[in-house]
Amino acid sequence: MSMREPFEQAVARHGPAVMRVCRAVLRDQADAEDAWSETFLSALRAWPDLPASTNVEAWIVRVAQRRCVDLIRRRSRTPMPVEELPERPSTSGLPGAADGLWDEVAALPEKQRLAVAYHYLGGLPHAETAELTGSTPAAVRRAAADGVATLRRGLAPGTLPSPEGADR
């Protein structure tokens, strides 16, 4: 029987990938932070019963995907009135806000954005990404390649980072 790492170590190890996925899927930093928190609250509840053989990274990214979907559904049903619109959105705490990366990711067509988010930012294999998006691995591979090509065309040379999951 193999021992699973403590939950705190799993959060430290997989937290950044979960945030990248949430940010790319939801396009909004505040929503991404909410989904990130909900992901790890859900994971904490399930952690004691998780089989030791589980691929924790894939499992936690799938939990994040479900929390993102939940948040999208909840936000679509909840009106958010405001008295005044902010003068400009804050970029404090947004990774890559100055270079336009997240704007470029947000502008991708949905299939490309999700393929890039789950595969390149979340580190999932194309087969698991296909399962999450209801597609085929070949279609996901094509959408991810097209999305990355679009990002490369839209950003200055050297701006696009090499995420940890890119070699998968």
Side-chain angles (χ1 to χ4, degrees):
M1 178 171 118
S2 65
M3 295 296 295
R4 188 176 48 248
E5 66 186 333
F7 185 73
E8 295 80 11
Q9 288 177 358
V11 172
R13 180 185 320 268
H14 305 296
V18 169
M19 180 53 86
R20 289 190 301 264
V21 167
C22 292
R23 179 71 174 102
V25 171
L26 296 170
R27 301 186 228 184
D28 177 76
Q29 182 68 18
D31 286 347
E33 290 171 0
D34 289 347
W36 187 93
S37 297
E38 289 179 19
T39 295
F40 284 103
L41 285 173
S42 296
L44 179 60
R45 284 186 212 107
W47 193 254
D49 299 325
L50 194 66
S53 63
T54 300
N55 176 338
V56 174
E57 181 179 37
W59 175 75
I60 200 75
V61 168
R62 185 167 195 117
V63 173
Q65 183 263 343
R66 290 177 177 154
R67 295 299 71 86
C68 288
V69 168
D70 290 348
L71 190 67
I72 290 167
R73 288 177 180 157
R74 190 168 54 242
R75 300 278 171 168
S76 70
R77 294 186 300 253
T78 306
M80 300 179 71
V82 294
E83 294 207 17
E84 289 184 40
L85 294 175
E87 290 182 29
R88 62 181 177 85
S90 169
T91 58
S92 62
L94 294 180
D99 61 23
L101 173 61
W102 293 115
D103 291 336
E104 294 289 331
V105 170
L108 290 173
E110 183 177 14
K111 287 181 182 180
Q112 291 178 12
R113 184 172 40 84
L114 295 178
V116 167
Y118 296 139
H119 179 68
Y120 288 101
L121 303 177
L124 292 180
H126 290 303
E128 289 186 37
T129 301
E131 186 179 323
L132 288 174
T133 60
S135 188
T136 66
V140 166
R141 186 175 289 107
R142 177 80 261 154
D146 290 346
V148 168
T150 300
L151 291 173
R152 286 192 174 126
R153 283 191 305 271
L155 296 170
T159 306
L160 192 60
S162 298
E164 298 161 6
D167 61 346
R168 293 187 182 171

